[in-house]
């Protein structure tokens, strides 16, 4: 993954602080010389407007504001920043994700990039790093000796061994839920990072064919866009039985987003809302589910099968059934996931939070003696590299991310994803004009930068734990502590 500086596509990106330079400025250049973050720049005509998005605020105010002899600089909090996000996706997490997508680097100290403010979940879990005196030559471990590679096929010798270089891949976002340019950018980033992205249940646009080796095609209850040729062209096929954000409801795409292109792909009527049934009406037992898995294994002799389910209280029993049906990947989706299109009544009240489901499934698979024969992937509210690492320590092999990728493309979490023209940033839209706001190469590089920053953090976590492989972290709950029970 090659990092390349990729700034915001907007002239005045939202920043944490407002930094102004008044007409009292005498263009002495002192602020330019003392600022180590590149906030102040000087041109032949004099200093330009401060680049507020790089300013770390009061922490270094003495280096520019206090040293301005004319008092030309003023700093204050940005009220627009305070209006971003919610308790899980705080303004700090949003801006820190933008910073990583822009620079590929770990965010500066004025931005919290590890946890949100939900008061629960991953925000209450913290790594317990050994004291430096207990570590033996940890700092001397070369970074190239630390691997973040995971295998997606642990048992089936008749199928190709599929490995990804980072312990996450992109979740299902269907054609219709997001702009086509976003889908293509996610696929290009998956190719460059040697991981995967998922089509969701909206069909397989021809634009994704060049990236098929890094695309997961999804078969959901509505069977929208499912074709024999789309099943055959990929390395992984995913059955979506349920989604953590809205279990028991099925997917839905409101009529405003069903454009002629979307309707053609889904074989539907333009402007008519589309609702996936729940469940598959051909599956009411593990035996029925095995017929589904066998179908895919027959149609695509080289493909792996992933099964996505939500997290009911008996998710451990569901997981072992998925294994015995012949799947390669168990994908459990917790209650915190979903975009702004998912109903809050479902997101907040139905499925089990993913941090409870992961250890439950991991332990049951261990007790059954099959844990090393299946890949356990978790999703549902994974926001940061630290969330991924915590999920792995709880028992997962890797994670699926979705909203984090959209945040990297400058989503502001406004929650209007269900509307055709509601996404003013051109991300979750089917409007032809708004869709062009996201340029493919720009979006691809932003995702690569985010992945690179996350991997750097992963390597740092593993080094501090004295580990050389992400596989050593799987199920290591002793590396975590709950802040409520210290």
């Amino acid at each position: 993954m090659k990092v390349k500086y990729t700034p915001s596509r907007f002239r005045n990106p939202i920043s944490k602080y407002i930094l102004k330079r008044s007409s009292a400025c005498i263009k002495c250049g002192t602020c330019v010389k003392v600022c180590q973050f590149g906030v102040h720049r000087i041109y032949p005509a004099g200093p330009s407007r401060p680049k507020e998005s790089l300013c770390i605020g009061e922490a270094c105010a003495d280096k520019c504001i206090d040293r301005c002899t004319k008092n030309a600089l003023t700093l204050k909090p940005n009220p627009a920043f305070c209006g971003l996000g919610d308790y899980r996706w705080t303004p700090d997490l949003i801006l820190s994700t933008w910073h990583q997508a822009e620079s590929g680097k770990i965010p500066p100290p004025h931005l919290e990039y590890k946890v949100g403010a939900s008061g629960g979940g991953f925000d209450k879990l913290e790594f317990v790093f050994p004291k430096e005196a207990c570590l033996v030559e940890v700092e001397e471990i070369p970074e190239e000796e630390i691997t973040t590679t995971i295998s997606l096929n642990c048992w089936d010798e008749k199928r190709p061994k599929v490995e990804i270089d980072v312990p996450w891949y992109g979740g299902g976002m269907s054609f219709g839920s997001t702009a086509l340019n976003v889908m293509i950018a996610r696929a290009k980033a998956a190719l460059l990072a040697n991981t995967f992205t998922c089509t969701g249940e909206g069909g397989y646009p021809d634009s994704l064919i060049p990236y098929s080796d890094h695309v997961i095609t999804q078969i959901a209850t509505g069977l929208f866009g499912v074709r024999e040729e789309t099943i055959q062209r990929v390395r992984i096929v995913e059955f979506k039985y349920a989604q953590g954000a809205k279990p028991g409801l099925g997917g839905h795409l409101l009529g405003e987003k069903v454009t002629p292109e979307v309707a053609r792909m889904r074989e539907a009527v333009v402007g008519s809302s589309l609702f996936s049934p729940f469940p598959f009406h051909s599956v009411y037992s593990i035996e029925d589910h095995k017929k589904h898995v066998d179908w895919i294994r027959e149609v695509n002799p080289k493909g792996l099968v992933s099964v996505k389910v939500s997290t009911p209280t008996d998710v451990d029993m569901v997981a072992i059934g998925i294994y015995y049906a012949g799947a390669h990947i168990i994908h459990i989706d917790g209650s915190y996931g979903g975009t702004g299109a998912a109903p809050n009544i479902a997101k907040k009240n139905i499925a089990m939070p993913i941090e409870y489901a992961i250890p439950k499934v991991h332990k049951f698979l261990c007790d059954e003696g099959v844990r090393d024969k299946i890949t356990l992937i978790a999703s549902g509210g994974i926001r940061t590299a630290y969330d991924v690492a915590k999920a792995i320590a709880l028992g997962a092999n890797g994670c699926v991310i979705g909203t984090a990728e959209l945040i990297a493309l400058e989503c502001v979490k406004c929650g209007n994803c269900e509307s055709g023209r509601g996404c003013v940033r051109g991300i979750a839209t089917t409007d032809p004009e708004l869709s062009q706001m996201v340029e493919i190469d720009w979006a691809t590089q932003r995702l690569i930068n985010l992945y690179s920053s996350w991997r750097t953090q992963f390597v740092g976590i593993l080094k501090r734990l004295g580990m050389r492989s992400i596989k050593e972290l799987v199920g290591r709950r002793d590396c975590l502590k709950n802040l409520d029970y210290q």
Side-chain angles (χ1 to χ4, degrees):
M1 295 184 289
K2 185 176 181 180
V3 172
K4 180 182 177 182
Y5 179 68
T6 310
S8 170
R9 55 200 162 108
F10 299 103
R11 182 176 181 181
N12 298 311
I14 299 173
S15 59
K16 190 169 185 176
Y17 302 102
I18 295 176
L19 182 61
K20 296 294 185 183
R21 177 182 288 110
S22 72
S23 57
C25 175
I26 60 173
K27 304 177 183 179
C28 66
T30 300
C31 56
V32 179
K33 296 176 184 177
V34 300
C35 180
Q36 59 180 312
F37 298 101
V39 176
H40 304 282
R41 294 164 293 172
I42 192 165
Y43 296 101
S48 66
R49 175 180 174 178
K51 192 171 178 60
E52 297 166 333
S53 60
L54 299 178
C55 181
I56 70 169
E58 295 88 346
C60 72
D62 60 322
K63 294 182 179 179
C64 61
I65 296 177
D66 294 348
R67 293 183 64 174
C68 180
T69 58
K70 299 300 180 181
N71 296 319
L73 295 172
T74 57
L75 179 76
K76 64 179 181 180
N78 185 357
F81 166 82
C82 300
L84 289 175
D86 50 41
Y87 287 115
R88 296 204 76 257
W89 273 101
T90 60
D92 268 37
L93 275 186
I94 291 175
L95 256 66
S96 65
T97 303
W98 290 355
H99 181 277
Q100 293 173 84
E102 180 173 317
S103 67
K105 299 178 180 178
I106 296 175
H110 74 297
L111 293 175
E112 172 55 65
Y113 63 94
K114 298 177 183 178
V115 297
S118 67
F122 291 123
D123 292 339
K124 281 294 183 179
L125 296 179
E126 188 175 279
F127 275 103
V128 181
F129 293 112
K131 295 181 180 180
E132 293 300 322
C134 299
L135 296 179
V136 181
E137 300 179 348
V138 170
E139 294 301 326
E140 297 180 7
I141 301 176
E143 289 194 7
E144 57 269 19
E145 290 186 12
I146 297 179
T147 176
T148 55
T149 299
I150 66 170
S151 175
L152 301 180
N153 178 9
C154 298
W155 65 271
D156 194 343
E157 296 181 357
K158 296 180 180 180
R159 307 263 159 166
K161 292 293 183 184
V162 178
E163 293 186 336
I164 54 178
D165 289 346
V166 290
W168 66 81
Y169 57 79
M173 294 187 207
S174 62
F175 181 58
S177 67
T178 56
L180 181 59
N181 281 6
V182 172
M183 295 186 71
I184 297 172
R186 295 177 75 219
K188 288 186 68 175
L191 169 65
L192 295 171
N194 188 32
T195 184
F196 284 86
T197 188
C198 183
T199 63
E201 62 175 311
Y204 200 119
D206 290 343
S207 303
L208 298 184
I209 292 177
Y211 317 102
S212 291
D213 281 350
H214 295 273
V215 172
I216 300 171
T217 192
Q218 192 177 84
I219 300 174
T221 56
L223 298 178
F224 293 121
V226 176
R227 302 283 187 279
E228 186 171 297
E229 60 268 22
T230 63
I231 294 173
Q232 292 172 334
R233 72 169 61 125
V234 297
R235 293 196 288 170
I236 302 177
V237 178
E238 179 174 86
F239 279 107
K240 187 183 86 170
Y241 284 93
Q243 184 176 343
K246 42 183 181 286
L249 299 178
H252 61 275
L253 188 72
L254 300 187
E256 188 179 351
K257 299 189 80 169
V258 184
T259 62
E261 292 77 14
V262 173
R264 190 180 307 112
M265 179 68 66
R266 299 192 180 212
E267 296 184 336
V269 178
V270 176
S272 177
S273 296
L274 303 177
F275 296 90
S276 303
F278 182 84
F280 279 102
H281 292 302
S282 56
V283 178
Y284 290 95
S285 67
I286 291 298
E287 291 74 20
D288 291 340
H289 166 54
K290 188 176 187 307
K291 294 177 183 178
H292 266 185
V293 176
D294 289 345
W295 162 44
I296 298 304
R297 292 171 64 89
E298 184 67 27
V299 173
N300 185 345
K302 296 184 178 180
L304 305 184
V305 179
S306 171
V307 180
K308 178 180 179 179
V309 295
S310 60
T311 52
T313 55
D314 62 347
V315 63
D316 48 353
M317 295 296 294
V318 173
I320 195 66
I322 291 171
Y323 165 75
Y324 281 114
H328 304 88
I329 301 168
I330 300 172
H331 174 182
I332 57 175
D333 190 36
S335 61
Y336 299 135
T339 64
N344 281 335
I345 188 65
K347 282 194 295 187
K348 297 179 179 180
N349 296 285
I350 301 179
M352 183 190 302
I354 195 64
E355 70 273 9
Y356 291 108
I358 296 170
K360 185 180 179 73
V361 172
H362 172 73
K363 182 179 184 303
F364 196 84
L365 294 175
C366 287
D367 292 344
E368 290 293 308
V370 300
R371 181 63 187 89
D372 60 344
K373 298 179 181 179
I374 194 76
T375 300
L376 176 61
I377 299 294
S379 65
I382 306 296
R383 304 156 298 175
T384 67
Y386 275 76
D387 282 356
V388 178
K390 291 171 186 176
I392 293 173
L394 288 172
N397 294 103
C399 290
V400 162
I401 60 173
T403 301
E405 292 182 318
L406 302 187
I407 297 291
L409 305 185
E410 297 188 296
C411 164
V412 293
K413 288 284 291 180
C414 67
N416 290 324
C417 308
E418 81 286 351
S419 172
R421 289 188 60 85
C423 181
V424 297
R425 299 208 156 195
I427 300 170
T429 182
T430 54
D431 180 83
E433 182 179 0
L434 287 175
S435 298
Q436 296 309 308
M437 291 177 64
V438 179
E439 201 272 329
I440 294 173
D441 289 340
W442 174 88
T444 301
Q445 189 60 57
R446 295 273 294 194
L447 294 173
I448 288 296
N449 290 351
L450 178 68
Y451 295 169
S452 180
S453 175
W454 279 22
R455 190 183 184 282
T456 299
Q457 294 170 60
F458 251 100
V459 170
I461 291 170
L462 292 176
K463 288 185 71 171
R464 292 182 67 186
L465 291 171
M467 300 177 181
R468 284 180 164 81
S469 171
I470 197 71
K471 297 175 184 177
E472 296 179 50
L473 185 59
V474 176
R476 289 291 303 276
R477 282 188 286 171
D478 58 300
C479 293
L480 295 172
K481 65 178 179 181
N482 190 309
L483 299 179
D484 284 339
Y485 304 100
Q486 296 189 63

